[in-house]
Amino acid sequence: MSYEPNDFNDRHFTTDNTSLPDGEYRYHHNSIHQDAASGQAQQAAASGNPPPDANKKSSGPRRGTALLLAGCLVLSLIGGAGGAVLADKLGLTGSSTVLYQAVETPAPDASTVGYSYSDIVQRVEDSVVAITTESIATSYFFRQYVTQGAGSGVVLSTDGYIVTNYHVISGARQITVTLNDGAEYAATLVGSDAANDIAVLKVDAKDLTPAVLGDSSKLAVGDAVLAIGNPLGTLSGTVTDGIISALEREVTIDGNTMTLLQTSAAVNPGNSGGGLFNASGELVGIVNAKSSSDSSGNAVDNIGFAIPINSVRTIIDDLISKGYVTGQIVLGVKLLDITDERTAAYYGLERTGVYIQSVESGSIADLGGLQAGDCILTFGGETVSTTDELKEALAGCAVGDRVAVTVERNGREYSHSLLLTEYVPDSARS
């Protein structure tokens, strides 16, 4: 299946345990359609073929109540996903890359709306780039075809480091960055963090215009902000204004709960990875999602979300310097929540709880003796019955800890001890 230029796929997110049916959702003109085939079609079929070396190709012209929203879109324009693109390790260890920090800049009252931001836009527009991707997808009949996606990114350094969303480049085998002046560069993926929806790219360029990183902790509801990105994948450099509508909004995207800024600035598919700037022209957030409808299917407007820059500063630094996020713990299991007796009976289980579907060879769970089919009862002394409770218990642990885990297996309880080691992806190993 291929899509015309005005068609594009997006993943949905849910909040407050309200969910849509599984699958991909295709936005076309003014309506949302579930694409029954797209979930299968977007399975990656290729795992190699990284893009050519990053060289120039061409040039040209507070914690709040979770929203009761059901139909919400992650904002990259995604037509499929293929093999990952990994960066060469050149220059990553001991990198001297400078991330430009907040500076004092004359600005209007941060709560002013309707003020002309032309001076600010002129300062920051060259810091925002358009991103396009190519991937290999497989149809129901195992036929492979090339799909395309689009999103946005923000320049972090003069020497070509760029931040975007993980979901913008997830599975892409080729990534192209287009600057505000139209110059195109092949990009490599330096590193990514799916849990925080952040990725860092690198292009072989000099004298780029980096964004100045602001302090998102100083934001207040009502502060004026600008969103700059590449909506629809064709309107790069689009600027929209609005305010900060809420701070620390808890939103669940693809089963992953994130704490985000909410803004009234118009954002649309393709804005993912673009910048949210304050009235001083400082980068305070990375745009990553918008709502499309409430739990009843009613259309909603001007509800967009962005990742606070303060929450990912350290992650960005780690990705640039090491290629991965330090201090992360990955158990190496795929989990399934069984929450009612009917579902338990369907799977032939005697109880509800959080079950292990599979265990990755050589992982923490594997080395600790956990097996597929185990029902996890306790983790580190904490009783767990859902995946979220297990994640919360794991969040209270640190690398080097040894935790006791109790599971039920074939009607009997077993105790295991897990040594929590730091997760280092294969791409970052020397």
Side-chain angles (χ1 to χ4, degrees), residues 13-19 63-72 245-252 258 260-263 289-295 300-305:
F13 73 73
T14 63
T15 61
D16 218 24
N17 296 323
T18 305
S19 62
R63 185 172 308 276
T65 302
L67 296 181
L68 296 175
L69 301 173
C72 301
S245 304
L247 302 168
E248 300 187 7
R249 192 69 89 180
E250 287 195 349
V251 179
T252 300
M258 305 182 71
L260 304 173
L261 301 171
Q262 182 184 331
T263 178
K290 69 167 289 186
S291 65
S292 63
S293 64
D294 64 12
S295 58
V300 295
D301 297 314
N302 301 102
I303 299 179
F305 298 96

Side-chain angles (χ1 to χ4, degrees), residues 62 102 110 214-221 223 247 278 282 284 310:
R62 228 113 306 225
D215 184 351
S216 56
S217 70
K218 293 182 178 180
L219 291 171
V221 173
D223 281 355
L247 302 168
N278 64 15
E282 298 168 336
V284 292
N310 284 20

Side-chain angles (χ1 to χ4, degrees), residues 6-312:
N6 288 330
D7 293 342
F8 46 90
N9 289 331
D10 276 292
R11 297 175 293 165
H12 65 279
F13 73 73
T14 63
T15 61
D16 218 24
N17 296 323
T18 305
S19 62
L20 287 174
D22 290 336
E24 300 293 327
Y25 285 76
R26 174 161 47 91
Y27 178 98
H28 180 60
H29 298 299
N30 294 319
S31 60
I32 301 289
H33 310 277
Q34 185 176 10
D35 185 347
S38 62
Q40 176 77 12
Q42 293 207 35
Q43 293 295 319
S47 59
N49 300 322
D53 291 339
N55 53 11
K56 188 171 182 180
K57 294 170 60 179
S58 65
S59 60
R62 228 113 306 225
R63 185 172 308 276
T65 302
L67 296 181
L68 296 175
L69 301 173
C72 301
L73 301 176
V74 174
L75 297 175
S76 68
L77 294 173
I78 302 178
V85 183
L86 299 177
D88 291 337
K89 298 291 291 178
L90 287 175
L92 294 185
T93 304
S95 171
S96 60
T97 296
V98 176
L99 299 185
Y100 287 73
Q101 306 300 305
V103 295
E104 292 187 7
T105 307
D109 187 321
S111 64
T112 299
V113 179
Y115 176 89
S116 175
Y117 296 107
S118 58
D119 288 344
I120 295 174
V121 171
Q122 289 178 29
R123 290 203 308 271
V124 305
E125 61 182 353
D126 289 341
S127 301
V128 182
V129 302
I131 295 174
T132 55
T133 62
E134 287 190 3
S135 309
I136 295 293
T138 304
S139 70
Y140 280 126
F141 300 101
F142 302 101
R143 293 177 178 174
Q144 295 184 350
Y145 56 94
V146 176
T147 60
Q148 296 181 331
S152 309
V154 182
V155 177
L156 295 172
S157 65
T158 59
D159 58 346
Y161 284 98
I162 295 166
V163 65
T164 186
N165 289 142
Y166 168 80
H167 75 262
V168 169
I169 52 78
S170 177
R173 70 168 189 172
Q174 182 170 313
I175 305 172
T176 301
V177 167
T178 303
L179 304 184
N180 189 48
D181 64 4
E184 290 186 356
Y185 294 86
T188 52
L189 177 60
V190 175
S192 62
D193 180 14
N196 290 286
D197 199 17
I198 286 293
V200 173
L201 308 177
K202 180 70 169 65
V203 297
D204 186 11
K206 297 180 180 179
D207 301 323
L208 300 186
T209 303
V212 175
L213 274 58
D215 184 351
S216 56
S217 70
K218 293 182 178 180
L219 291 171
V221 173
D223 281 355
V225 288
L226 300 176
I228 305 180
N230 181 33
L232 308 187
T234 58
L235 303 176
S236 60
T238 294
V239 181
T240 58
D241 71 322
I243 62 171
I244 294 294
S245 304
L247 302 168
E248 300 187 7
R249 192 69 89 180
E250 287 195 349
V251 179
T252 300
I253 306 176
D254 287 347
N256 182 42
T257 300
M258 305 182 71
T259 302
L260 304 173
L261 301 171
Q262 182 184 331
T263 178
S264 65
V267 293
N268 291 283
N271 272 104
S272 268
L276 189 69
F277 297 88
N278 64 15
S280 296
E282 298 168 336
L283 183 68
V284 292
I286 305 298
V287 175
N288 75 323
K290 69 167 289 186
S291 65
S292 63
S293 64
D294 64 12
S295 58
S296 299
N298 300 311
V300 295
D301 297 314
N302 301 102
I303 299 179
F305 298 96
I307 304 167
I309 195 64
N310 284 20
S311 69
V312 291

